[in-house]
Amino acid sequence: MPQLTPRHLALALGLSLGMAAAPAMAATTPAVFTAKVDHGSLTLARGKDRIAIGFITPTALRIHVLPDGESSPASIVIDPKALHAAPANVKTRTAGTVTTLSTGAATLRWDAHNGSLQFSDAAGHVLLTQRDVAKLTGGKLTLDHARGDALYGIGGYNATEDASAGLLRTGTQKITAGEQGHAGAPLVWSTAGYGVLVDTVGGTFNLANGRIATDDTSRKDLDVYLIAGAPKQIFADVAAISGRTPLFPKWAMGFTNSQWGIDEKELLKIVDTYRAKHIPIDNFTLDFDWKDWGNDWGEFTWNTTKFPDGPSGKLKQMLDERGIKLTGIMKPRVHINTVEGREAAEKGYFLKGNQPAKDYFSGKLVREIDFANPQARTWFFDHMKSAFQSGIVGWWNDEADNVSIDTQHLDMQRAIYDGQRAMTDQRVWSISRNFYLGAQRYAYGMWSGDIHTGFASMAGQRARMLSAIDVGAMQWGMDTGGFTHGTPTPENYARWVQFGAFVPVFRVHGDSSQKRQPWVYGPTAEKAAADAIRLRYRLIPYIYSYEDQRRHSGVGLVRPLTFDWPNDPKVRNDVASWMFGDSLLVSPVVEQGQTSKTIYLPAGQWTDWFSGKRYAGGQDVTLAIDAKTWSDIPLFVRDGAIIPTQPVMDYVGQHPVTQVDVEMFPAARRTSFDYYDDDGTTYDYEHGAYFRQPLGLQRTADGVTVQTGAVEGRFTPALKFYLFKVHGDAATTVTADGQALTRASSLAALTQGSGEGWATGTDRFGAVTYVRVNAAQARTLALVWGHAPM
């Protein structure tokens, strides 16, 4: 394309902005760029400056600005394995001074007449406009968008700051993850249908007057990704760019008890009490107590006074027999006057500029490890191997946020993830109290830091969780019960455990003198908490299937209501409720003595999980709350729900699951769910050793259609049958692929039989049809109702 003559922008601005309202601007002279289209991409050139523009997915566009034609390495945010090749279907067109790249799902429009770039959705609505591309070569991104667009992302809240602002973001927003409890990402997105991801560690977003602008980013060669789509599509592309999450072990879907101030004798007593009471638990996490902290090899070795059977592996054996995994705390620092400290100093593995400081626990001098150094990371995990081999199979990476580095915690986890994966095929589990986008690639869970006890602190965790998820920290948890400032009341503890049962990482933890077992808080709290834990374990098949879905979709088990109802203004800043998977909406009780609770239900039809009462969506509903026994959890089932469940066990995998009971609530629209399983412990799923079967559901004119699709993967689970519990009416006939199934006289008779069949009955939801069919087969089931469908 020939070199273009500069023109004033006064008239052209209106033409370039389309539907995106923007502040009035004085007329300026656009920079002179030449444009070249090649293989579906666009390159703008001015002297030595280059701007490379191209789609990397049908909905994600990369703009890479290369001042003087030079680039720098991508930051930790970007997955080094991410593909940046253009999709095959990119269409290009040049007409006059306008060049477009289009995938059918999104369009980029370059107007050389006024030097602007426009990014539009599939319907042609302009989402974002960069007015003067010359500003990009100076490292400044200024994207105009429609005024009033709701903006999210960038960062959450640290452990102690006020979280009452909720989820919406405006004004100057620092991109950081440097304080405990904080999740951050160079990502801002809108329910208006777009996202902006910048490859930077640190910097600011300035959000005001219909504009997204960046400042103080860490790269001179500005690297930006624009994404078009609803929230779930945005996070699918964010995952494609920044990296997908490996699966946690299946036991991590269960319950974890962390404790500071414990020894081997007390540990075994607590575990045995859980087992005697049949309160499910899978993981016990040890604080400082497990380490010989401050002595020659104290960072990595057992405290044999407190845990005499730790080093030999005998303690691991005793806990394995009880179905308990043992995980332990790690710190990012080592004592300088130890064998390992002297070795770290000799090899240059201490963080430069970090001076020795007195550790609060041992009282001795420590220094931080430089985890950005690959050799230091390898060295660190090499010393951890003996602890792993003797029984510590998961890692609680604490306090990697004290050196004002946004990625210290991330790099610490890289040391563990890379080291453990090189050593064994056993899946990595870890939690840290910070998150920066990119960390999810390293089996990274986050918790919200050293939070206070009490109802106010508990209520604040809702915004902390949902804002962390809004930047991609999909595996989030908290110190359920609170960590500091005393003991929660029995009511506070019970309600907090109910809350914790509906977050991705479910754990309790308290300060050194605090116990967080359910029976500590009296029989009423114990029952309420134990019931919530058991409900969590009943939902393990549902939860674990979302572990797989997150890996592929980028969207986790928990998500704000904006992900499913982006156009509903009433959920724009709603932190009181969230979706737990696609089928369940939960709104835990977080107020002391509450006797009623008003909850907004978005559009659709909803059923109370506990009472079976049905509600129309798009309105507030008010529930009576049990303020005496705390036995209720506001939990609603969405129409179209497909919820696989299993018998409650004392721990995940205690017994083979040969039948999965699937709660089904048919809707007029077709819904689907991918049931997933694998060995739960190794990375064999990465090589095809998994079981995934799609389940479909739809209400028809005279009944319901249920489908089981073709199985993917080569893993064979213990599963033999699905028992579909189809709610809404009692069927008169049930066929499978056109052939009548045998009717049983009752549910008991059906489940005691050895094969397929169906029966009818009632439960708390009303009339129900039970259909039992073989798993791992593609089938179409047709249920004909006795009455008109609900």
Side-chain angles (χ1 to χ4, degrees):
M1 198 172 176
Q3 192 170 19
L4 299 170
T5 304
R7 298 288 181 92
H8 291 294
L9 287 176
L11 177 62
L13 282 174
L15 298 173
S16 69
L17 287 176
M19 295 181 64
M25 294 179 63
T28 60
T29 302
V32 180
F33 282 88
T34 59
K36 180 181 178 181
V37 178
D38 185 32
H39 294 96
S41 63
L42 171 68
T43 301
L44 305 179
R46 182 190 65 176
K48 292 183 179 180
D49 295 338
R50 298 287 185 273
I51 304 176
I53 304 170
F55 282 94
I56 59 170
T57 77
T59 49
L61 177 87
R62 185 186 187 193
I63 303 175
H64 191 188
V65 183
L66 301 102
D68 295 323
E70 297 179 356
S71 65
S72 57
S75 77
I76 192 67
V77 172
I78 305 302
D79 184 358
K81 298 178 182 177
L83 299 178
H84 284 168
N89 64 340
V90 178
K91 296 179 180 179
T92 62
R93 183 174 182 270
T94 298
T97 63
V98 174
T99 298
T100 59
L101 310 178
S102 180
T103 64
T107 298
L108 183 281
R109 182 179 187 268
W110 156 244
D111 190 341
H113 178 72
N114 55 38
S116 70
L117 295 170
Q118 284 183 342
F119 186 58
S120 305
D121 64 15
H125 299 138
V126 177
L127 302 171
L128 299 164
T129 300
Q130 173 69 40
R131 301 247 200 140
D132 184 356
V133 296
K135 291 182 178 179
L136 296 176
T137 61
K140 304 290 186 182
L141 182 73
T142 53
L143 293 168
D144 292 329
H145 60 84
R147 293 178 185 267
D149 287 353
L151 298 177
Y152 303 90
I154 308 172
Y157 299 94
N158 68 36
T160 58
E161 70 180 304
D162 180 13
S164 60
L167 306 180
L168 289 166
R169 296 292 174 261
T170 188
T172 299
Q173 299 281 330
K174 187 177 180 182
I175 308 167
T176 184
E179 295 182 75
Q180 65 157 309
H182 198 281
L187 168 70
V188 59
W189 60 273
S190 175
T191 46
Y194 54 84
V196 180
L197 174 63
V198 182
D199 182 13
T200 180
V201 177
T204 58
F205 278 114
N206 297 299
L207 313 177
N209 301 319
R211 174 169 289 177
I212 299 169
T214 60
D215 199 9
D216 299 324
T217 54
S218 61
R219 290 178 61 178
K220 183 180 179 182
D221 58 321
L222 187 65
D223 200 2
V224 180
Y225 300 83
L226 308 183
I227 303 168
K232 289 181 180 179
Q233 181 59 56
I234 292 169
F235 279 90
D237 282 328
V238 168
I241 296 164
S242 66
R244 303 189 185 279
T245 55
L247 302 189
F248 270 174
K250 190 186 285 190
W251 58 258
M253 307 303 104
F255 177 57
T256 291
N257 191 151
S258 295
Q259 186 162 310
W260 180 5
I262 195 171
D263 59 17
E264 182 175 314
K265 182 178 179 181
E266 184 183 5
L267 169 63
L268 293 172
K269 180 180 179 182
I270 289 172
V271 169
D272 287 342
T273 305
Y274 274 109
R275 292 292 176 253
K277 290 176 174 287
H278 296 290
I279 300 174
I281 183 172
D282 268 84
N283 172 20
F284 207 99
T285 301
L286 302 176
D287 208 307
F288 270 115
D289 313 282
W290 81 271
K291 294 183 177 192
D292 197 18
W293 182 253
N295 293 320
D296 250 7
W297 291 94
E299 176 61 37
F300 307 103
T301 58
W302 288 90
N303 179 336
T304 54
T305 300
K306 289 189 173 184
F307 295 91
D309 294 314
S312 68
K314 183 180 178 182
L315 177 59
K316 178 184 184 302
Q317 180 182 350
M318 289 188 286
L319 292 174
D320 284 347
E321 292 168 354
R322 292 163 167 83
I324 289 287
K325 301 295 186 295
L326 194 61
T327 57
I329 201 168
M330 296 299 296
K331 301 288 182 179
R333 55 187 180 266
V334 298
H335 289 80
I336 62 174
N337 293 318
T338 60
V339 172
E340 63 215 20
R342 289 185 286 272
E343 187 176 17
E346 179 184 345
K347 294 179 179 292
Y349 293 157
F350 283 128
L351 187 64
K352 292 179 176 59
N354 177 250
Q355 300 301 314
K358 184 179 291 188
D359 174 68
Y360 67 87
F361 190 74
S362 69
K364 300 178 181 180
L365 294 178
V366 294
R367 283 188 68 186
E368 297 268 343
I369 298 296
D370 180 9
F371 287 104
N373 181 340
Q375 289 76 33
R377 293 199 299 269
T378 299
W379 172 86
F380 189 79
F381 188 79
D382 281 346
H383 286 306
M384 291 172 61
K385 287 179 179 178
S386 62
F388 178 79
Q389 291 168 332
S390 60
I392 302 293
V393 299
W395 314 100
W396 168 19
N397 300 326
D398 194 22
E399 298 178 354
D401 48 31
N402 294 327
V403 290
S404 301
I405 298 175
D406 282 314
T407 55
Q408 174 79 340
H409 48 88
L410 194 165
D411 286 328
M412 181 180 179
Q413 176 56 18
R414 288 174 72 189
I416 293 172
Y417 180 79
D418 291 343
Q420 186 172 319
R421 289 219 61 171
M423 174 187 177
T424 177
D425 200 33
Q426 186 171 324
R427 291 184 203 172
V428 183
W429 179 84
S430 75
I431 54 171
S432 299
R433 65 185 193 184
N434 307 76
F435 175 88
Y436 200 82
L437 189 64
Q440 73 278 0
R441 300 194 298 269
Y442 304 104
Y444 196 103
M446 176 192 170
W447 96 97
S448 60
D450 296 345
I451 57 175
H452 295 174
T453 59
F455 279 91
S457 176
M458 176 174 64
Q461 299 310 302
R462 301 171 301 172
R464 285 172 170 80
M465 173 178 70
L466 297 176
S467 62
I469 288 167
D470 273 351
V471 299
M474 298 292 173
Q475 291 164 291
W476 183 96
M478 59 187 162
D479 287 351
T480 298
F483 179 73
T484 64
H485 288 66
T487 304
T489 65
E491 181 186 6
N492 186 211
Y493 177 84
R495 290 303 191 188
W496 212 328
V497 171
Q498 291 170 346
F499 179 171
F502 289 93
V503 308
V505 179
F506 182 21
R507 56 186 286 273
V508 293
H509 183 55
D511 208 340
S512 59
S513 60
Q514 293 288 310
K515 313 298 182 186
R516 291 288 183 262
Q517 294 79 41
W519 55 88
V520 171
Y521 297 89
T524 304
E526 177 183 342
K527 184 180 187 307
D531 286 347
I533 296 169
R534 292 184 185 112
L535 177 56
R536 170 82 173 209
Y537 275 71
R538 183 181 169 193
L539 293 171
I540 290 295
Y542 179 78
I543 294 168
Y544 194 56
S545 293
Y546 280 101
E547 185 74 6
D548 173 62
Q549 288 190 35
R550 185 195 65 248
R551 177 171 173 255
H552 294 283
S553 71
V555 178
L557 173 67
V558 168
R559 73 288 298 263
L561 299 183
T562 49
F563 277 46
D564 289 85
W565 293 272
N567 299 317
D568 186 341
K570 292 200 71 173
V571 306
R572 275 190 166 189
N573 210 25
D574 188 351
V575 300
S577 305
W578 55 89
M579 293 304 293
F580 191 72
D582 293 322
S583 297
L584 294 170
L585 181 150
V586 64
S587 186
V589 176
V590 296
E591 294 181 20
Q592 182 175 3
Q594 192 167 14
T595 57
S596 67
K597 182 177 173 72
T598 300
I599 299 162
Y600 177 71
L601 297 178
Q605 294 293 320
W606 300 89
T607 302
D608 187 300
W609 174 268
F610 293 99
S611 72
K613 185 176 179 180
R614 290 175 59 83
Y615 297 90
Q619 65 172 337
D620 291 331
V621 300
T622 300
L623 302 183
I625 299 299
D626 177 5
K628 294 183 178 180
T629 65
W630 322 309
S631 60
D632 46 0
I633 306 171
L635 180 65
F636 298 88
V637 184
R638 188 180 184 179
D639 258 20
I642 302 172
I643 307 173
T645 68
Q646 70 181 39
V648 175
M649 302 180 194
D650 287 344
Y651 57 92
V652 172
Q654 182 182 17
H655 307 295
V657 178
T658 58
Q659 177 177 293
V660 167
D661 293 2
V662 186
E663 306 283 355
M664 290 185 151
F665 297 79
R669 72 188 190 284
R670 187 182 188 277
T671 55
S672 62
F673 181 90
D674 285 349
Y675 174 77
Y676 178 85
D677 201 6
D678 58 25
D679 67 20
T681 59
T682 75
Y683 290 99
D684 285 352
Y685 68 86
E686 294 179 342
H687 310 291
Y690 60 85
F691 176 93
R692 184 184 298 119
Q693 186 170 24
L695 308 177
L697 177 67
Q698 187 169 20
R699 193 171 63 228
T700 62
D702 60 355
V704 172
T705 298
V706 177
Q707 292 175 309
T708 58
V711 171
E712 299 176 29
R714 56 179 175 79
F715 177 75
T716 302
L719 180 66
K720 301 300 181 187
F721 296 104
Y722 293 116
L723 178 66
F724 296 123
K725 300 180 178 180
V726 186
H727 301 284
D729 205 345
T732 57
T733 62
V734 177
T735 59
D737 297 331
Q739 301 296 312
L741 287 179
T742 301
R743 182 169 188 172
S745 60
S746 65
L747 174 60
L750 176 63
T751 56
Q752 288 167 10
S754 59
E756 298 184 323
W758 66 283
T760 60
T762 58
D763 62 10
R764 67 187 183 279
F765 302 113
V768 58
T769 301
Y770 305 100
V771 185
R772 191 190 201 208
V773 295
N774 294 324
Q777 296 180 9
R779 310 281 288 281
T780 297
L781 310 176
L783 288 67
V784 177
W785 286 150
H787 304 88
M790 295 177 62

